[in-house]
mmCIF file of all heavy atoms in Angstrom:
data_model
loop_
_atom_site.group_PDB
_atom_site.id
_atom_site.type_symbol
_atom_site.label_atom_id
_atom_site.label_comp_id
_atom_site.label_asym_id
_atom_site.label_seq_id
_atom_site.Cartn_x
_atom_site.Cartn_y
_atom_site.Cartn_z
ATOM 1 N N HIS A 56 68.716 -116.210 101.600
ATOM 2 C CA HIS A 56 69.223 -115.555 100.401
ATOM 3 C C HIS A 56 69.274 -114.028 100.524
ATOM 4 O O HIS A 56 70.118 -113.396 99.902
ATOM 5 C CB HIS A 56 68.373 -115.962 99.184
ATOM 6 C CG HIS A 56 68.985 -115.609 97.884
ATOM 7 N ND1 HIS A 56 70.133 -116.208 97.411
ATOM 8 C CD2 HIS A 56 68.620 -114.703 96.942
ATOM 9 C CE1 HIS A 56 70.443 -115.705 96.241
ATOM 10 N NE2 HIS A 56 69.545 -114.776 95.927
ATOM 11 N N SER A 57 68.432 -113.448 101.336
ATOM 12 C CA SER A 57 68.436 -111.988 101.532
ATOM 13 C C SER A 57 69.177 -111.640 102.818
ATOM 14 O O SER A 57 68.652 -110.967 103.706
ATOM 15 C CB SER A 57 66.994 -111.464 101.580
ATOM 16 O OG SER A 57 66.341 -111.712 100.365
ATOM 17 N N VAL A 58 70.408 -112.070 102.892
ATOM 18 C CA VAL A 58 71.186 -111.970 104.119
ATOM 19 C C VAL A 58 71.283 -110.532 104.635
ATOM 20 O O VAL A 58 71.210 -110.304 105.840
ATOM 21 C CB VAL A 58 72.587 -112.606 103.944
ATOM 22 C CG1 VAL A 58 73.394 -111.903 102.891
ATOM 23 C CG2 VAL A 58 73.332 -112.658 105.254
ATOM 24 N N ALA A 59 71.418 -109.561 103.766
ATOM 25 C CA ALA A 59 71.542 -108.166 104.216
ATOM 26 C C ALA A 59 70.275 -107.665 104.898
ATOM 27 O O ALA A 59 70.337 -106.776 105.746
ATOM 28 C CB ALA A 59 71.887 -107.260 103.038
ATOM 29 N N TRP A 60 69.125 -108.223 104.540
ATOM 30 C CA TRP A 60 67.856 -107.841 105.172
ATOM 31 C C TRP A 60 67.531 -108.730 106.367
ATOM 32 O O TRP A 60 66.935 -108.293 107.332
ATOM 33 C CB TRP A 60 66.705 -107.932 104.176
ATOM 34 C CG TRP A 60 66.752 -106.911 103.094
ATOM 35 C CD1 TRP A 60 67.338 -105.677 103.137
ATOM 36 C CD2 TRP A 60 66.190 -107.035 101.799
ATOM 37 N NE1 TRP A 60 67.178 -105.031 101.950
ATOM 38 C CE2 TRP A 60 66.471 -105.842 101.098
ATOM 39 C CE3 TRP A 60 65.484 -108.033 101.149
ATOM 40 C CZ2 TRP A 60 66.066 -105.632 99.793
ATOM 41 C CZ3 TRP A 60 65.084 -107.803 99.843
ATOM 42 C CH2 TRP A 60 65.367 -106.626 99.186
ATOM 43 N N GLU A 61 67.901 -109.988 106.266
ATOM 44 C CA GLU A 61 67.545 -110.943 107.315
ATOM 45 C C GLU A 61 68.415 -110.810 108.557
ATOM 46 O O GLU A 61 67.949 -111.075 109.663
ATOM 47 C CB GLU A 61 67.622 -112.364 106.762
ATOM 48 C CG GLU A 61 66.584 -112.617 105.673
ATOM 49 C CD GLU A 61 66.730 -113.991 105.033
ATOM 50 O OE1 GLU A 61 67.118 -114.938 105.742
ATOM 51 O OE2 GLU A 61 66.463 -114.098 103.828
ATOM 52 N N ASP A 62 69.674 -110.460 108.372
ATOM 53 C CA ASP A 62 70.569 -110.246 109.516
ATOM 54 C C ASP A 62 71.470 -109.043 109.211
ATOM 55 O O ASP A 62 72.672 -109.192 108.991
ATOM 56 C CB ASP A 62 71.399 -111.497 109.796
ATOM 57 C CG ASP A 62 72.059 -111.463 111.158
ATOM 58 O OD1 ASP A 62 72.161 -110.366 111.754
ATOM 59 O OD2 ASP A 62 72.487 -112.534 111.637
ATOM 60 N N PRO A 63 70.877 -107.835 109.167
ATOM 61 C CA PRO A 63 71.643 -106.656 108.768
ATOM 62 C C PRO A 63 72.833 -106.350 109.677
ATOM 63 O O PRO A 63 73.873 -105.898 109.195
ATOM 64 C CB PRO A 63 70.621 -105.524 108.786
ATOM 65 C CG PRO A 63 69.472 -106.018 109.577
ATOM 66 C CD PRO A 63 69.488 -107.519 109.482
ATOM 67 N N GLU A 64 72.703 -106.611 110.964
ATOM 68 C CA GLU A 64 73.821 -106.319 111.872
ATOM 69 C C GLU A 64 75.033 -107.173 111.544
ATOM 70 O O GLU A 64 76.161 -106.681 111.474
ATOM 71 C CB GLU A 64 73.392 -106.511 113.327
ATOM 72 C CG GLU A 64 72.422 -105.453 113.791
ATOM 73 C CD GLU A 64 71.967 -105.659 115.222
ATOM 74 O OE1 GLU A 64 72.540 -106.516 115.934
ATOM 75 O OE2 GLU A 64 71.029 -104.958 115.634
ATOM 76 N N ALA A 65 74.814 -108.462 111.325
ATOM 77 C CA ALA A 65 75.926 -109.351 110.980
ATOM 78 C C ALA A 65 76.503 -108.975 109.620
ATOM 79 O O ALA A 65 77.720 -108.938 109.440
ATOM 80 C CB ALA A 65 75.465 -110.805 110.979
ATOM 81 N N PHE A 66 75.630 -108.688 108.658
ATOM 82 C CA PHE A 66 76.085 -108.337 107.320
ATOM 83 C C PHE A 66 76.938 -107.067 107.341
ATOM 84 O O PHE A 66 78.034 -107.034 106.777
ATOM 85 C CB PHE A 66 74.878 -108.160 106.394
ATOM 86 C CG PHE A 66 75.254 -107.824 104.984
ATOM 87 C CD1 PHE A 66 75.712 -108.808 104.124
ATOM 88 C CD2 PHE A 66 75.156 -106.524 104.517
ATOM 89 C CE1 PHE A 66 76.072 -108.498 102.820
ATOM 90 C CE2 PHE A 66 75.504 -106.207 103.223
ATOM 91 C CZ PHE A 66 75.967 -107.203 102.368
ATOM 92 N N ILE A 67 76.448 -106.037 108.010
ATOM 93 C CA ILE A 67 77.190 -104.778 108.087
ATOM 94 C C ILE A 67 78.520 -104.988 108.794
ATOM 95 O O ILE A 67 79.558 -104.447 108.377
ATOM 96 C CB ILE A 67 76.343 -103.683 108.768
ATOM 97 C CG1 ILE A 67 75.189 -103.285 107.843
ATOM 98 C CG2 ILE A 67 77.191 -102.477 109.150
ATOM 99 C CD1 ILE A 67 74.123 -102.444 108.511
ATOM 100 N N ARG A 68 78.526 -105.764 109.858
ATOM 101 C CA ARG A 68 79.755 -106.029 110.603
ATOM 102 C C ARG A 68 80.819 -106.678 109.712
ATOM 103 O O ARG A 68 81.975 -106.245 109.691
ATOM 104 C CB ARG A 68 79.459 -106.907 111.821
ATOM 105 C CG ARG A 68 80.656 -107.156 112.711
ATOM 106 C CD ARG A 68 80.316 -107.941 113.982
ATOM 107 N NE ARG A 68 79.680 -109.221 113.691
ATOM 108 C CZ ARG A 68 78.396 -109.514 113.917
ATOM 109 N NH1 ARG A 68 77.596 -108.612 114.448
ATOM 110 N NH2 ARG A 68 77.918 -110.709 113.637
ATOM 111 N N VAL A 69 80.437 -107.702 108.932
ATOM 112 C CA VAL A 69 81.441 -108.383 108.100
ATOM 113 C C VAL A 69 81.902 -107.492 106.945
ATOM 114 O O VAL A 69 83.082 -107.520 106.580
ATOM 115 C CB VAL A 69 80.973 -109.769 107.588
ATOM 116 C CG1 VAL A 69 80.676 -110.701 108.745
ATOM 117 C CG2 VAL A 69 79.791 -109.673 106.670
ATOM 118 N N VAL A 70 80.998 -106.688 106.390
ATOM 119 C CA VAL A 70 81.394 -105.780 105.303
ATOM 120 C C VAL A 70 82.349 -104.715 105.831
ATOM 121 O O VAL A 70 83.402 -104.442 105.223
ATOM 122 C CB VAL A 70 80.161 -105.146 104.625
ATOM 123 C CG1 VAL A 70 80.580 -104.043 103.667
ATOM 124 C CG2 VAL A 70 79.361 -106.213 103.883
ATOM 125 N N LEU A 71 82.020 -104.083 106.951
ATOM 126 C CA LEU A 71 82.902 -103.072 107.510
ATOM 127 C C LEU A 71 84.241 -103.665 107.915
ATOM 128 O O LEU A 71 85.295 -103.021 107.714
ATOM 129 C CB LEU A 71 82.247 -102.374 108.716
ATOM 130 C CG LEU A 71 81.071 -101.455 108.379
ATOM 131 C CD1 LEU A 71 80.466 -100.887 109.663
ATOM 132 C CD2 LEU A 71 81.485 -100.354 107.434
#
Side-chain angles (χ1 to χ4, degrees):
H56 193 68
S57 298
V58 62
W60 291 334
E61 295 175 34
D62 195 343
E64 290 179 10
F66 181 78
I67 290 167
R68 184 175 56 251
V69 299
V70 171
L71 290 177

